[in-house]
Amino acid sequence: MSPENLLLFAGALLVLFITPGPGIAAMVARTLDAGPVNAAIYGSGILLGDMFWFTLAVTGLSALATQLSGFWLAAKLVGVAYLSWMAFRAFWSAWTGARPKPVFKAGSKRSHAATFIAGVAMPLSNPKPIVFYLTLVPAFVPLEAITPATYALMLAMMTVLAVLTAGAYIGGAHRAREWLVTPAVRRGADIVTGLVMTGIAILLLVAR
């Protein structure tokens, strides 16, 4: 594959990762709710889901992907359930002024595992990466020219760009988190977060 094709791929990935969408919104909300570490774990799950779609495109299994309706429905329901839980936590905090008790102990392996799985479910049920990897990527990247070495290089490019862009969003959200100490500001932020998470959950639920 030519360097020009790799640059095109990198540029398209940068646009995909920078453009705000359900994944970024959920990652930012996770930062505000549980801190940058949990947001990074959630983001790593999103990256793995993206790599799954990219691998399907490279191996030519996109036709099979359209037939796995039960799997996509399960992934969608996991994503919707997690976003709904995040919305509930935000609304509960705005209503009572206190954080609800988490299902898993903060920082525990079970909490991290649940956060990671929810992150993986996001791109598996989000139309944005599905359209990008299964339709747009083959349009400007010659998939037949992708060797195992090129495939590994492209995965590395995805990882680097994802870390840089997610780091920028998480870092900005974490800095904003510092001033969420006054009750009025935190209550307003919780309401906005709850509304955003509810909207994204509905979008994923009705998306085809």
Side-chain angles (χ1 to χ4, degrees), residues 100-138:
K101 184 178 180 180
V103 175
F104 303 117
K105 182 180 179 181
S108 68
K109 291 182 179 179
R110 294 178 68 186
S111 174
H112 289 167
T115 298
F116 180 77
I117 292 172
V120 174
M122 172 61 73
L124 294 186
S125 56
N126 181 9
K128 180 182 172 183
I130 297 174
V131 171
F132 178 81
Y133 290 110
L134 297 186
T135 62
L136 296 183
V137 169

Side-chain angles (χ1 to χ4, degrees), residues 1-162:
M1 182 178 296
S2 68
E4 290 78 10
N5 288 128
L6 290 176
L7 287 175
L8 281 174
F9 177 70
L13 279 178
L14 187 60
V15 172
L16 175 70
F17 290 160
I18 288 180
T19 304
I24 290 176
M27 194 163 50
V28 168
R30 192 62 183 160
T31 304
L32 299 177
D33 181 56
V37 173
N38 279 274
I41 293 173
Y42 188 84
S44 65
I46 292 177
L47 176 60
L48 181 61
D50 279 357
M51 289 180 172
F52 171 79
W53 287 122
F54 174 65
T55 302
L56 275 185
V58 169
T59 55
L61 296 178
S62 57
L64 175 62
T66 61
Q67 301 177 19
L68 302 179
S69 57
F71 175 76
W72 310 140
L73 177 60
K76 177 183 293 189
L77 293 179
V78 169
V80 168
Y82 183 74
L83 291 169
S84 299
W85 168 245
M86 291 175 65
F88 164 75
R89 284 174 57 89
F91 286 132
W92 179 268
S93 177
W95 180 262
T96 65
R99 299 291 180 181
K101 184 178 180 180
V103 175
F104 303 117
K105 182 180 179 181
S108 68
K109 291 182 179 179
R110 294 178 68 186
S111 174
H112 289 167
T115 298
F116 180 77
I117 292 172
V120 174
M122 172 61 73
L124 294 186
S125 56
N126 181 9
K128 180 182 172 183
I130 297 174
V131 171
F132 178 81
Y133 290 110
L134 297 186
T135 62
L136 296 183
V137 169
F140 54 80
V141 175
L143 297 181
E144 68 279 1
I146 298 179
T147 64
T150 306
Y151 170 73
L153 175 60
M154 296 173 82
L155 289 183
M157 293 169 62
M158 291 178 65
T159 302
V160 171
L161 290 174

